[in-house]
Amino acid sequence: MAINLYDVTVASSIQIVGAVAGVLQKGLEYLGEEQANELLSFRLTDDMLPMAFQLNSVRHHSLGAVQGMQAGVFEPPPSLPAMNYSEFQTFIAETLEGLKAVSASDVNAFEGKPMLFKMGDFEVPFVCENFALSFSVPNLMFHATTVYDMLRMKGVSLGKQDYLGQMRVGH
């Protein structure tokens, strides 16, 4: 079986974003609404951005990465309006639905296409598959792991299966 750009971006993102949705639900059930809302401003350490940023980055490095490959440019995520925990759950659910709507043929057509990462005056030229494999997929995993770790640190009972989500098994 050959692996293509859709497999390493969208299919993997569906798995991880779905897992993030699951850990957020477990977090709400354990913490309750008030504590869950407080968690959005929680940082693992002073020089790390809060959970709200981590969740925005999960979306940005999954669905946003596909949109960036389509446009040929990827920039840091836009700021979000203030949202509560429940609204972030909806935000992640919408991300998952957006990923499920992306066609494999559209994404695979991005192979070899140039794209640019831009942050102010700083620019890094990529082709789409190198952008995905060396930048966006690792960032998605980092931010998803950070959300998981924040919930674990607050006492939410999570295990590796919660992080992995629905694996693609079979032939």
Side-chain angles (χ1 to χ4, degrees):
M1 170 178 120
I3 295 176
N4 57 45
L5 190 57
Y6 177 87
D7 295 332
V8 299
T9 58
V10 177
S12 293
S13 291
I14 288 170
Q15 178 181 341
I16 296 303
V17 172
V20 169
V23 300
L24 287 175
Q25 183 58 39
K26 281 191 168 187
L28 181 62
E29 291 167 4
Y30 178 80
L31 297 168
E33 189 173 335
E34 185 177 333
Q35 280 188 300
N37 286 330
E38 291 171 6
L39 185 60
L40 294 172
S41 62
F42 176 69
R43 299 169 183 254
L44 286 175
T45 187
D46 291 340
D47 66 349
M48 200 168 194
L49 291 166
M51 185 180 215
F53 177 86
Q54 306 301 326
L55 291 167
N56 190 15
S57 295
V58 165
R59 179 186 185 111
H60 194 57
H61 287 286
S62 59
L63 184 58
V66 173
Q67 294 164 339
M69 288 187 292
Q70 182 177 24
V73 65
F74 186 82
E75 297 179 276
S79 296
L80 297 175
M83 292 194 288
N84 64 31
Y85 195 92
S86 175
E87 290 167 323
F88 267 108
Q89 287 184 285
T90 300
F91 180 75
I92 293 298
E94 290 169 350
T95 300
L96 187 56
E97 291 309 308
L99 287 164
K100 289 178 179 178
V102 173
S103 81
S105 60
D106 287 347
V107 174
N108 291 334
F110 302 151
E111 288 183 22
K113 178 183 171 191
M115 75 166 292
L116 190 64
F117 170 73
K118 289 182 66 167
M119 189 166 65
D121 292 336
F122 179 74
E123 296 181 352
V124 180
F126 288 101
V127 293
C128 287
E129 52 271 43
N130 288 340
F131 163 76
L133 290 169
S134 66
F135 185 77
S136 205
V137 170
N139 267 287
L140 171 60
M141 299 305 183
F142 173 84
H143 294 292
T145 300
T146 302
V147 169
Y148 173 92
D149 290 344
M150 289 174 158
L151 289 163
R152 282 288 308 260
M153 190 170 185
K154 293 297 182 178
V156 180
S157 179
L158 298 168
K160 187 178 280 190
Q161 187 58 49
D162 295 303
Y163 176 81
L164 291 174
Q166 180 62 53
M167 294 182 289
R168 298 181 308 264
V169 297
H171 303 276

